[in-house]
């Protein structure tokens, strides 16, 4: 029996920058997906995911069902289309990574399953290649045009450190989280769905802006005056991406230098940029970020793909439980929605 696992992640800075070849700063969360796998002699695949159901299919006959099982089929279809020889297997999946909360339950699932398959069939690829396979699986089979952040975070991250990833060359620098801070992550209870329109629309807008500026990607924007030539909506999209890349570098420096006050300011600035320039926030998420600040967090920002999902906040160590509780109660009173605290873990 093979056992493999992968953690969910929270992104600390750099939202919607990965598919623009920019910088991101995710860190794993303790919640994880565990896969137990037993190879079979034939080409049948049977997967039971606790809380989701069971699926069974033949290798090479992967058909989307538009549910959780697509992520499993995406793995086997992608491995086979990259020329990897596989056989069937039975697998059991358990996970405590919240789904639809913006903490990468899908990447945790894909990476854990790919790791288990890699071990079971002695496949020879490294963790970065594994992340790229997971991304291809999600883009080509599931149909969400996601960037590489989540898969790299799940594949290469360690608890207690953030990964400063340059998505232009996939280089990873490890940044230790200072001991003086604690992260608070609260799910707004409003669901996002990547395969749905918003995310892919933002991505298309960024590509259109890069084309209009005559650049290969928004990573190459140097001259902010050129934005005046763009329609106002595209100019706002570019302004978010450029300023967010700068904030990633500053946030990594603030983490290494233990400058928690600066980190909090950067969180707030990132939230404003996502809300005002990139239009990926929603009123509930704005209210949750405000509730976290009011409860004593040093800064709070929308994290993940947006259009709902979670807010991450930075708090002084020792205050995190009180901050999380007060913010959750205030938000629930105000919005009438049920929120869940993801960090600190229950
Ligand atoms: C989702 C995607 C990532 C990234 C974020 C936004 O989590 O999977 O690739 O684009 O949204 O920063």
């Amino acid at each position: 029996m093979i056992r493999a696992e992968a953690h969910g992640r929270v992104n600390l800075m750099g939202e919607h920058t990965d598919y623009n070849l920019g910088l991101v700063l995710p860190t794993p969360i303790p919640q994880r997906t565990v896969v137990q796998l037993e190879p079979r002699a034939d080409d049948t695949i049977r997967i039971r995911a606790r809380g989701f159901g069971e699926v069974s299919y033949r290798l090479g006959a992967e058909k989307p069902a538009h549910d959780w099982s697509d992520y499993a089929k995406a793995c086997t279809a992608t491995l086979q289309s990259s020329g990897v020889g596989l056989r069937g297997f039975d697998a059991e999946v358990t996970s405590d990574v919240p789904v639809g909360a913006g903490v990468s339950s899908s990447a945790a699932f894909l990476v854990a399953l790919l790791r288990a398959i890699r071990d079971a069939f002695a496949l020879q690829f490294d963790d970065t290649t594994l992340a790229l396979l997971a991304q291809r699986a999600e883009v080509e089979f599931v149909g969400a045009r996601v960037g590489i952040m989540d898969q790299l975070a799940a594949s290469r991250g360690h608890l207690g450190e953030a990964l400063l990833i340059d998505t232009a060359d996939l280089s990873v620098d490890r940044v230790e989280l200072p001991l003086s801070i604690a992260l608070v992550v609260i799910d707004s209870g409003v669901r996002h769905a990547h395969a749905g329109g918003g995310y892919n629309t933002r991505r298309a807008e960024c590509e259109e802006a890069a084309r209009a500026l005559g650049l290969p990607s928004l990573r190459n924007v140097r001259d902010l005056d050129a934005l005046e030539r763009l329609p106002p909506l595209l100019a706002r999209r570019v302004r978010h991406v450029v300023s967010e890349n700068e904030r990633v570098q500053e946030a990594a420096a603030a983490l290494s230098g233990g400058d928690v006050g600066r980190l909090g300011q950067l969180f707030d600035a990132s939230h404003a940029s996502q809300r005002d320039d990139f239009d990926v926030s929603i009123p509930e998420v704005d209210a949750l970020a405000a509730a976290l600040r009011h409860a004593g967090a040093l800064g709070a920002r929308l994290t993940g793909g947006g259009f709902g999902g979670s807010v991450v906040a930075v708090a002084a160590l020792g205050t995190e439980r009180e901050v999380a509780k007060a913010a959750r109660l205030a938000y629930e009173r105000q919005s009438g929605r049920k929120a869940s605290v993801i960090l600190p873990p229950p």
Side-chain angles (χ1 to χ4, degrees):
M1 175 77 76
I2 305 282
R3 186 183 181 284
E5 60 178 57
H7 288 257
R9 64 97 189 95
V10 57
N11 188 24
L12 302 182
M13 194 61 71
E15 233 59 74
H16 297 270
T17 45
D18 61 353
Y19 55 79
N20 290 301
L21 299 187
L23 305 170
V24 291
L25 192 64
T27 185
I29 57 174
Q31 290 89 336
R32 67 202 163 150
T33 298
V34 177
V35 173
Q36 287 182 298
L37 186 149
E38 188 72 51
R40 297 170 59 107
D42 61 14
D43 62 357
T44 296
I45 296 191
R46 230 178 33 210
I47 301 180
R48 205 167 63 204
R50 213 177 292 162
F52 289 91
E54 202 171 321
V55 68
S56 171
Y57 59 93
R58 303 276 298 275
L59 263 180
E62 292 87 354
K63 298 260 171 321
H66 307 290
D67 62 17
W68 69 273
S69 70
D70 286 2
Y71 289 92
K73 295 171 191 162
C75 287
T76 53
T78 302
L79 282 171
Q80 285 203 300
S81 72
S82 16
V84 170
L86 283 187
R87 285 200 326 272
F89 57 82
D90 293 330
E92 168 107 23
V93 184
T94 53
S95 182
D96 61 353
V97 185
V99 174
V103 289
S104 271
S105 58
S106 53
F109 182 95
L110 292 163
V111 169
L113 184 57
L114 285 169
R115 276 181 171 161
I117 296 175
R118 178 173 67 181
D119 287 1
F121 300 105
L123 305 177
Q124 302 293 324
F125 47 78
D126 65 14
D127 291 339
T128 300
T129 307
L130 188 144
L132 287 164
L133 284 166
Q135 182 199 23
R136 244 186 71 203
E138 194 157 354
V139 170
E140 289 175 9
F141 196 88
V142 183
R145 294 188 65 209
V146 293
I148 189 66
M149 164 169 69
D150 304 344
Q151 300 79 4
L152 271 179
S155 178
R156 303 212 41 202
H158 301 308
L159 288 173
E161 59 186 34
L163 298 180
L164 171 58
I165 302 171
D166 186 336
T167 64
D169 60 10
L170 303 186
S171 60
V172 169
D173 282 324
R174 296 180 185 275
V175 185
E176 246 176 78
L177 300 182
L179 294 175
S180 57
I181 61 159
L183 298 173
V184 177
V185 178
I186 303 183
D187 176 10
S188 66
V190 185
R191 289 284 158 259
H192 77 286
H194 280 166
Y199 184 89
N200 286 344
T201 306
R202 289 297 171 278
R203 195 169 170 153
E205 287 164 354
C206 290
E207 286 163 0
E208 191 186 337
R211 256 195 318 276
L213 292 168
L215 296 170
S217 82
L218 294 187
R219 178 64 181 276
N220 305 83
V221 176
R222 296 280 173 272
D223 169 19
L224 284 179
D225 292 342
L227 301 194
E228 281 166 25
R229 283 191 272 122
L230 291 177
L233 181 134
L234 293 187
R236 285 195 288 121
R237 302 293 186 256
V238 180
R239 198 163 60 199
H240 166 73
V241 172
V242 172
S243 63
E244 187 80 349
N245 277 328
E246 284 167 7
R247 281 187 291 271
V248 174
Q249 275 169 321
E250 278 199 66
L255 280 177
S256 327
D259 190 349
V260 296
R262 180 68 191 136
L263 192 63
Q265 288 169 353
L266 291 163
F267 270 42
D268 289 348
S270 170
H271 187 81
S273 178
Q274 294 187 75
R275 179 191 61 212
D276 302 334
D277 282 343
F278 217 66
D279 293 316
V280 282
S281 193
I282 54 169
E284 288 90 338
V285 166
D286 295 339
L288 178 54
L292 276 157
R293 287 179 206 119
H294 190 75
L298 304 166
R301 61 185 290 281
L302 166 61
T303 184
F307 306 101
S310 293
V311 173
V312 59
V314 58
L317 186 69
T319 67
E320 66 273 21
R321 288 198 183 272
E322 260 168 67
V323 167
K325 185 171 175 201
R328 177 175 64 78
L329 292 175
Y331 166 77
E332 288 183 342
R333 215 178 309 116
Q334 196 190 334
S335 68
R337 299 220 176 229
K338 179 105 190 67
S340 343
V341 176
I342 297 174
L343 279 188

